[in-house]
Amino acid sequence: MNFTTRFAPSPTGPLHLGHAYSAVLAHDMAQAAGGAFLLRIDDLDQTRCKPQWEAQIFDDLAWLGLTWPQPVLHQSDRLPRYRDALQTLWDQGLLYPCSCSRADIRAAASAPQEGAPLHGPDGVIYPGTCRPTTPPRGPMPDMPLRLDMARAVALLDAPPSFTETGSGPDGETGLIRPQNMQVLVGDVALARPGMGASYHLSVVLDDADQAITHVIRGQDLFSATQIHVLLQRLLDLPTPIYHHHRLIRDEVGKRLAKRDDARAIATYRSEGRSPDEIRSIAGL
Ligand code: GLU
């Protein structure tokens, strides 16, 4: 079977036990299938990404016993590719400029007539403040851009769907058919200020260009997958198989964060733990 998967960390802090779990699981699954494991660096947010974190990622993953082909893809090298995809969507009348801040969105979404703000995969669902009634014409502006979700969904000949071989946070598995994305997801940002593209757009293009057949990642990204599948349809890209895995939590049940240094792989290493011990602490 053709099997290519990837681990795509952002170099914004030290890798922790949750990253180790994700990377080792993807690596093991690729090995078991006789497939390939790729490493990709998600470094679009240049204000938060640092070369020393990237060096630490390579070092920690090699220490865990993982290997991957060179060269490693960097998202920061791919801005023209992301721009071309935005242009394709713009030409279809699916994007509009919007410079609302997060605070603007929260305020508009919780305006009295709107009721309590509804949360989607990207936080508060965009209340549509800047959405035009007809698609904007003319050249694509160099501004933050949002996807007109209602128009996008209406353009598809069939609703998006994907196969989940792991499970979502509520046990979702098998063939997943997202519903009512205009309301439950809303107009997601596809070009963000200072970043060229949003995570959703870049991940979809990277996975397609790297011929990823299996996306293995944490359940925190399950709800974003419907956006990825929709973008694949709009951009005529293949949909990989998705495998979302459980999250590693701390003793009070909170998901580990980058700042959670106690569970950084580097901390375990400095305490003299072995890669096998890390596997067993992570429950692999
Ligand atoms: N850079 C993303 C993260 O660390 C990768 C997400 C993905 O695997 O799609 O959450």
Side-chain angles (χ1 to χ4, degrees), residues 22-78:
S22 206
V24 172
L25 180 69
H27 190 264
D28 287 0
M29 284 176 71
Q31 231 169 23
F37 167 83
L38 309 184
L39 178 61
R40 183 165 79 217
I41 299 294
D42 281 8
D43 59 351
L44 269 191
D45 186 352
Q46 288 287 317
T47 57
R48 293 173 60 228
C49 296
K50 300 271 180 295
Q52 74 262 29
W53 294 127
E54 183 174 322
Q56 178 91 51
I57 288 172
F58 294 145
D59 199 52
D60 283 342
L61 295 178
W63 177 82
L64 282 166
L66 309 193
T67 56
W68 56 88
Q70 300 289 344
V72 166
L73 191 85
H74 286 76
Q75 290 193 327
S76 54
D77 290 336
R78 290 176 41 80

Side-chain angles (χ1 to χ4, degrees), residues 106 116-126 183-185:
R106 263 197 312 274
L118 204 55
H119 285 75
D122 274 341
V124 173
I125 293 175
Y126 184 64
V183 174
L184 301 178
V185 177

Side-chain angles (χ1 to χ4, degrees), residues 6 8-10 42 199 203 215 217 221:
R6 79 320 187 259
S10 298
D42 281 8
Y199 157 68
V203 75
V215 171
R217 61 185 180 191
L221 290 167

Side-chain angles (χ1 to χ4, degrees), residues 81-99 126 128 130-153 155 186-192 196-198 200-201 205 227 230-231 234-235:
R81 170 67 169 128
Y82 305 148
R83 198 81 203 151
D84 282 353
L86 287 169
Q87 185 70 54
T88 303
L89 298 172
W90 176 266
D91 293 344
Q92 294 178 80
L94 296 178
L95 303 182
Y96 62 87
C98 165
S99 5
Y126 184 64
C130 298
R131 185 192 309 126
T133 47
T134 55
R137 290 172 187 278
M140 181 170 71
D142 189 11
M143 276 180 72
L145 299 167
R146 286 187 181 275
L147 180 71
D148 186 323
M149 186 60 82
R151 245 180 245 289
V153 169
L155 205 70
D187 294 358
V188 286
L190 293 189
R192 288 204 178 272
S198 73
H200 300 305
L201 184 71
L205 293 166
I227 303 170
L230 176 81
L231 291 173
L234 295 173
L235 294 166

Side-chain angles (χ1 to χ4, degrees), residues 14-16 19 248 254-261 263-264:
L15 295 189
H16 57 57
H19 297 108
I248 307 278
K254 254 186 71 215
R255 180 157 74 86
L256 299 186
K258 283 256 165 72
R259 58 193 171 282
D260 200 347
D261 280 355
R263 289 172 193 77

